[in-house]
Every structure is written in C-alpha cells, then in structure tokens.
Amino acid sequence: MIPPRLVPLLEQFDFACERLVGRMAGPVMDSGDGTDTQVGPMTDEEYLWEPVPDCWSVRRRTDGPGARATLLAGTGDWGRDTASYPHPWPPPFTTIAWRLSHITEMLTLRADHTAGQHVLTRDDYVVRGDVAGAVAAFEEGATAWRKALLSVDDAALDTVGYCTYPHGSDPEEPFVDIAWWVNQEVLHHGAEIALLRDLHRSRQR
C-alpha cells in the first residue's frame, strides 16, 4: 500500500517526468491540459547549446572545465562543470545538458541512498555527452527514484535522515520533505529545459 500522503507527490512526479521526456524527445508532449502538442526531438547541438558566453555545461574531460568552473563532476569521457564551495556569484548560466545531468544525477543518487546500497557519490555518476544517452539516463534515474518511493511506508515518511544522500539536507529532513523537494527540482529544471528549447527554436527562425 502506498502511504496516502505520498500518493499526490507520486502522481505529480510521474506527470512531471512524462511531460519532460515528451518535451525533450517528442514526437508529442502534453500541453498541460491533456492534449498533445507536436514537438521535434532535441538534437545534440541543441542539448549543448550555449546561449550566452561562459555557460556551464557538460564537456569532454580532455577539454577541461569551462569558465569559472574548477573541475568536471562525474565519471566517463564527459563531465559537468562545477566548482568547490563557495560557488561563483552570480551563478553561471547553465545549458540543457548541465540541467538534465544535474537532475538525473540527483534522482540516481537519491534512489541509491533511499533503497539501494547507500554508497553512490557524484564521482560514480556517468555524465552523458549526447542527448539520446542523457534522456535515457534521465528515464532510468526517474524509474529508480519511483521504485525507491514505492519502498517506503508511512513511518519512513516522517523519519529524519531516512535518505542518506550526501549532497543535500537529507540527513536533517523527514523523508516526505525530500520527496517534495525532488518533485520541485524536476518541475523547475524541466521548465527551464522547456524554455531553452523554445529559445533555441526561435533563434533558428
């Protein structure tokens, strides 16, 4: 049985993920009122598009970090621009690739630190340099997080530190607040990705 308090959060998460994948991959997306809107699949060029100078993005490790970044997070041939605390101010503008990598890593690691081995770190996360791989990784991360949500009972929702994810406030928060936080991360970064797609399309015109 799904704890009643978790049901609306789970439904919101499912809708947000489905809508974001549709917005990125096409051929249609939910316009928000249940009707389908035609949308073309995102290209690698669009995924890595830097609309302003000195964006943070994902980059080949051989190229090194971008402006104001001090390292490339993750593992594999690609990494995501980041910097040690304190982060640069004002925050660098980030590409679709950066934003999608960020939320996918968050979903993947939080799933492990909720219902997995509780061992994954950012150094274990494989950063994708192509849009097909990135969208597939997002879907895998979303599936893992959903499975983690379904593993909890009502008592777990109130348990502080139930999720041991090391890069957030999880050790100090009840799990129900973490579930809410993950939803808003997907929602607001998903909206940012959608806006960047709109801007890229308008630029081409």
Side-chain angles (χ1 to χ4, degrees), residues 132-155:
V135 172
F138 172 76
E139 292 183 287
E140 291 171 7
T143 298
W145 176 244
R146 191 180 198 281
K147 184 178 179 180
L149 290 175
L150 293 176
S151 75
V152 306
D153 57 18
D154 199 62

Side-chain angles (χ1 to χ4, degrees), residues 42-154:
M42 186 159 50
T43 64
D44 287 347
E45 184 275 332
E46 185 179 0
Y47 172 69
L48 295 168
W49 177 51
E50 299 191 16
V52 298
D54 298 336
C55 284
W56 274 12
S57 189
V58 302
R59 308 180 190 280
R60 293 187 184 277
R61 292 198 180 276
T62 53
D63 294 335
R68 297 199 291 160
T70 57
L71 58 101
L72 292 172
T75 190
D77 294 337
W78 293 73
R80 188 178 66 252
D81 283 327
T82 190
S84 302
Y85 286 105
H87 292 324
W89 187 264
F93 194 90
T94 55
T95 63
I96 290 176
W98 193 101
R99 295 166 201 253
L100 186 56
S101 176
H102 165 66
I103 56 176
T104 303
E105 178 201 86
M106 174 201 68
L107 292 169
T108 303
L109 267 62
R110 274 200 165 99
D112 176 70
H113 282 272
T114 299
Q117 299 298 311
H118 299 258
V119 295
L120 291 183
T121 71
R122 286 175 175 163
D123 292 336
D124 300 309
Y125 176 73
V126 178
V127 176
R128 273 72 172 188
D130 65 292
V131 67
V135 172
F138 172 76
E139 292 183 287
E140 291 171 7
T143 298
W145 176 244
R146 191 180 198 281
K147 184 178 179 180
L149 290 175
L150 293 176
S151 75
V152 306
D153 57 18
D154 199 62

